[in-house]
Amino acid sequence: MSFMTQQQDPLDDRPAGVEPPQRRERRHGRAALALLLPLLLGAWMVWDGSQTSRPPAPSAAQSFAGPATLAPVPAPVPSVKPLPASPPVRIKIPIIGVDAPVTPLGIDANGQLATPDDKNRNLAGWYQGGVTPGQLGTALLDGHVDTWGGPAVFYNLGSLRKGHQVQLLRKDGRTAVFAVDAVEVYAKDQFPSDKVYHAAPDAEIRLITCGGAYTRAGGYNGNLVVYAHLIATR
């Protein structure tokens, strides 16, 4: 009389102690997965700032006057008649490949401009408490530079140069076209609210995202701001 070991399949006529091929495949599969998980995790973590990859940073030449200044800058002489109010529905920045929907945003619990849902990397936000793009004044838009999923809608803002165009498509079917005046980066504890948010005497926009150095503990230590003024409507 023979006794089955706990590991032996009662329908398996191979000698006890010889592992079935299916079990070997499952065991080897688990081992392969265990080896693969750290690699997958490493790829997933590449955009958390711990790696060497960083979003583009503007040069001093793209600021208003060399090094970033904190005082409001005189607006260019208006050459295009501003548009009436109409919410933006899409933003396009052809030179850096941005083509994204725009969602309305408010103020968060900390009294700061809210950010779009970080589950959608291709989504920009517009502060609906202010003017609309193309309207007289300063319209505010923001977006993530990156998320855990990878580069986000405003990842390449730092590579914009003076004169590059930003297009805002509006709910009324009109498009407001802006030219970049400057790109500047500020430490978060020195963010020049008066300069960024002041009511412009013409139609302007500000594109805001994270910037500066990155640490795991604190994230990005600054903000990147693109200044642009209206140059055309269609």
Side-chain angles (χ1 to χ4, degrees), residues 32 56 65 92 147 154:
K92 294 183 179 182
T147 70
F154 281 172

Side-chain angles (χ1 to χ4, degrees), residues 74 112 127 146 154 197 205 208 228 231:
Q112 299 178 339
Y127 175 52
D146 56 21
F154 281 172
Y197 299 144
I205 57 170
I208 305 170
I231 60 168

Side-chain angles (χ1 to χ4, degrees), residues 154-166:
F154 281 172
Y155 185 82
N156 285 310
L157 280 193
S159 64
L160 289 179
R161 299 294 181 261
K162 295 176 181 179
H164 283 166
Q165 293 189 5
V166 179

